[in-house]
Amino acid sequence: MSQLTPEPPAPPRTERPLTAQRLAQYVARGRCERHLRFALFPSEAAELLNRYKLEIEPLSPLLSGAGQSYEREMVERLRARGLDVRDVERAAPEAFAREVRAQKEGRVLYYQPNLKGRIGDWDCEGRADLIEVTRDARGLAATVVDFKASARETVSFRLQVAFYVRLLKATLGAAGVELSELSGAVAARGGSTEDGWEPFDLSLYDDEIERLVAAPSSDVARAALAGRGRARYHLRAACDGCPYNALCFADTAEREDLSLVPLITSSEKRALADAGINSARALASLMEYAEGGGLKPASGAEELLRRAAARWPLSGRLPLLVQRARAAVRRLDRSTESKRYVVGSDYGSLPDPAMHPGLVRVFVDAQRDYLRDKLFLVAARVTGPRAVSEIVEMT
């Protein structure tokens, strides 16, 4: 007797559509599942923000202003050359598709067209900066162009273009419009062609859109199916500039999440969670300081410690991680024992000031303006046996 294969559960509906910007931000934030979850289900983020009396951290007005200014500059430059640039920002996707279908022979540049459609199981929408459409004897050819004030292209820029390309095909396809050729380009500062953009190979980035969005096991599917409060995340340098930054820090401290542990990696955090160790306090309680120095398994934690140590990312790392967890938990609970040094850390690689009384140390920091691809600040702290000097130079 044959058995029927059960139907897979229907994917949940997101609270708002996926956009190119939200997808690019997800990639820029180290593919943080929690970031994507909040972007698709904003009510969950709003609930936590209200709980902690926090607000979304907005994008810097300097960055958004630079992008808008560059867009206007590029459009005016195209119009000054006598090109047919049509502003369709206020037109619905269906109206834009009808205008493309009715386009006569020649070249038209559609500025800020609205697009929508489904990629895989997910509702998606977006507004491309510019779509160049050419009609000739071979049919309709289109190039999706994204304006970027940055001096260099990035992978996330091209992913946004590939996302818009998918939406363009869906928008025009719904109106019965077929394209004979489709390409994408990023118009960053210093473009090498007369128009300021050069098409790139879409195939690689289209495959990535498939993995990120369209496939049944895509990143979007994992975030949507994770459920409320269960999306994975990890605090790291990529969190700087994230709109949910303050929320995640407050939530991490309240729950004593493993991200409190200094320098812990995402793979170590995942391995600990898979072993049943889900908080910094639980990690700190795995081992305790021995009387003769070193660490020993805590009473009753021997089996859990053995299972965790058998996992690849944690092999040989648990004593160090436990001590760092103890230091983190001590900030919240002074009864937790923690030393000012790491037991078993061996010798450091830096020179010992006691052995070198004339040692001079220089600590350097530099800040880069990614829009112009130039350094705008260099600072140093110079420490010696008799004085400390701080130097800051900014353009």
Side-chain angles (χ1 to χ4, degrees):
M1 183 176 177
S2 61
Q3 292 183 345
L4 295 177
T5 303
E7 289 285 336
R13 289 192 62 85
T14 58
E15 294 177 1
R16 61 183 180 186
L18 179 67
T19 66
Q21 185 179 28
R22 289 167 191 152
L23 184 65
Q25 284 291 309
Y26 163 69
V27 173
R29 301 302 164 209
R31 302 198 174 191
C32 174
E33 189 176 280
R34 182 185 238 197
H35 177 98
L36 187 56
R37 175 78 189 184
F38 284 161
L40 298 175
F41 298 88
S43 67
E44 296 180 17
E47 182 181 316
L48 287 174
L49 288 167
N50 182 63
R51 176 178 180 175
Y52 298 122
K53 303 295 187 277
L54 297 170
E55 295 181 354
I56 288 285
E57 295 188 17
L59 178 67
S60 165
L62 293 177
L63 296 182
S64 58
Q68 294 167 5
S69 175
Y70 181 66
E71 276 185 27
R72 292 191 294 268
E73 174 190 327
M74 289 293 294
V75 170
E76 292 307 315
R77 189 185 304 173
L78 294 169
R79 284 179 173 150
R81 292 178 49 215
L83 297 176
D84 186 359
V85 181
R86 302 180 188 178
D87 190 340
V88 291
E89 180 180 356
R90 299 183 185 279
E94 298 80 9
F96 162 66
R98 288 195 298 268
E99 188 165 345
V100 171
R101 185 172 56 192
Q103 179 181 320
K104 298 179 180 179
E105 285 197 3
R107 179 188 185 197
V108 178
L109 304 177
Y110 296 95
Y111 177 56
Q112 296 278 296
N114 291 291
L115 308 170
K116 71 175 183 179
R118 287 180 71 82
I119 301 179
D121 292 321
W122 314 104
D123 291 326
C124 301
E125 65 180 30
R127 182 184 297 157
D129 288 339
L130 193 79
I131 296 181
E132 175 190 38
V133 180
T134 304
R135 182 186 287 277
D136 56 23
R138 295 172 296 179
L140 281 174
T143 300
V144 177
V145 183
D146 204 28
F147 296 135
K148 294 297 181 184
S150 175
R152 292 186 294 180
E153 291 187 37
T154 68
V155 170
S156 63
F157 294 170
R158 293 190 172 190
L159 279 175
Q160 284 182 269
V161 171
F163 184 88
Y164 287 133
V165 165
R166 287 278 189 120
L167 286 185
L168 176 62
K169 288 193 288 188
T171 301
L172 297 183
V177 179
E178 294 186 4
L179 296 170
S180 60
E181 187 179 341
L182 190 54
S183 58
V186 175
R189 291 188 186 274
S192 57
T193 68
E194 185 180 8
D195 289 333
W197 60 77
E198 184 175 348
F200 59 86
D201 183 5
L202 271 172
S203 59
L204 176 63
Y205 302 94
D206 189 58
D207 289 344
E208 191 63 13
I209 293 296
E210 187 72 21
R211 287 189 287 270
L212 287 170
V213 185
S217 59
S218 68
D219 292 32
V220 175
R222 286 198 298 272
L225 293 169
R228 180 180 293 269
R230 294 198 297 271
R232 289 178 171 176
Y233 77 102
H234 180 56
L235 298 182
R236 65 190 99 183
C239 297
D240 290 345
C242 174
Y244 312 111
N245 185 302
L247 182 159
C248 288
F249 273 89
D251 181 54
T252 295
E254 182 182 73
R255 294 185 298 104
E256 298 182 356
D257 186 85
L258 286 167
S259 284
L260 281 180
V261 180
L263 303 179
I264 191 171
T265 66
S266 58
S267 58
E268 289 169 343
K269 180 179 175 181
R270 180 170 296 185
L272 286 167
D274 290 343
I277 303 165
N278 294 296
S279 70
R281 188 178 293 271
L283 176 58
S285 64
L286 279 181
M287 305 179 76
E288 57 189 27
Y289 294 107
E291 292 185 3
L295 286 91
K296 64 178 183 180
S299 178
E302 295 85 357
E303 179 59 22
L304 179 58
L305 183 65
R306 185 192 65 77
R307 290 202 312 269
R311 297 180 177 270
W312 167 74
L314 305 175
S315 178
R317 295 276 295 168
L318 279 174
L320 175 63
L321 293 174
V322 166
Q323 291 180 82
R324 287 176 175 168
R326 281 180 164 274
V329 173
R330 182 171 171 77
R331 294 185 177 185
L332 307 174
D333 180 2
R334 303 302 292 179
S335 66
T336 301
E337 183 184 4
S338 175
K339 298 186 182 299
R340 295 176 59 85
Y341 55 89
V342 176
V343 175
S345 62
D346 210 345
Y347 295 102
S349 60
L350 295 177
D352 184 358
M355 298 290 292
H356 304 275
L359 185 68
V360 175
R361 289 171 290 180
V362 182
F363 305 90
V364 180
D365 182 36
Q367 299 291 328
R368 168 179 164 265
D369 180 346
Y370 85 93
L371 294 176
R372 296 176 176 81
D373 196 23
K374 294 181 179 179
L375 291 179
F376 70 87
L377 180 145
V378 177
R381 178 181 176 89
V382 184
T383 65
R386 292 185 297 275
V388 175
S389 178
E390 293 182 348
I391 304 165
V392 179
E393 293 291 339
M394 184 168 67
T395 59

